[in-house]
Amino acid sequence: MEAQITREDALSREGYRHACHIMLYGDCSAKLFGKIPIKHIVLMQMRFDGLLGFPGGFVNPSKETLEAGLTRELLEEVGEAIPVGVENHVSSCLATSCPLITHFYIKKMTEAEIREIERAAVATATDHGLEVLGMVRVPLYFLKNGGGLPYFLSHSFISNSRAQLLSALQRCGLLSQGELEKAVRQAEQMRR
Ligand code: GTP
Ligand code: MN
Ligand code: MN
Ligand code: MN
Ligand code: MN
Ligand code: MN
């Protein structure tokens, strides 16, 4: 697991590249099959390399702030220059295999705003169909035989984005600790 550092420490280091990614999420009143509450919409994306990850990308702190760089990446990848502030920052991590620091952000939006982002991601994002193959919603519910979150977690994720997802779900209180442990356990069983 990658080492966590502060945003300040991250920016004081030389010789590292920086990447910023964000979890955009909102509450949702819809029910799957008319009975299973969706509860929350959490957005991730299918990347060009076939891996799941969060929207965002490389930022150059000598030319832009981390947050302005993330907003620029969001314009490219989801078609909207969503404002991001320091208050949205939740973690900075030293990557294990290369001199890279990954910064993670979380922003809560309304259901209508999330739906508008999903439209823009197809309609106006310049990276749509290129670096981004599509936005996906994370299923947060449990169906029979590992359906829902366990199957979602059994896919392959870029860098530490799977750990970022799990810690964000806990931090935002979208799932209980017990539910998260159950999902991880079931996902491990399917990967064998
Ligand atoms: P280019 O335009 O091709 O440079 O891509 P980009 O700027 O959109 O960069 P990308 O989103 O691929 O992120 C840069 C690097 O950060 C990747 O090479 C991964 O190592 C890492 N990365 C990508 N997505 C995530 C993510 O969701 N979480 C974390 N922790 N790292 C990620
Ligand atoms: Mn990008
Ligand atoms: Mn990207
Ligand atoms: Mn980029
Ligand atoms: Mn690019
Ligand atoms: Mn890319």
Side-chain angles (χ1 to χ4, degrees), residues 141-154:
Y141 42 78
F142 292 80
L143 304 174
K144 267 183 287 190
N145 303 319
L149 186 59
Y151 258 115
F152 185 85
L153 292 176
S154 77

Side-chain angles (χ1 to χ4, degrees), residues 83-98:
V84 181
V86 178
E87 71 278 7
N88 298 115
H89 175 267
V90 292
S91 64
S92 298
C93 239
L94 290 171
T96 42
S97 53
C98 54

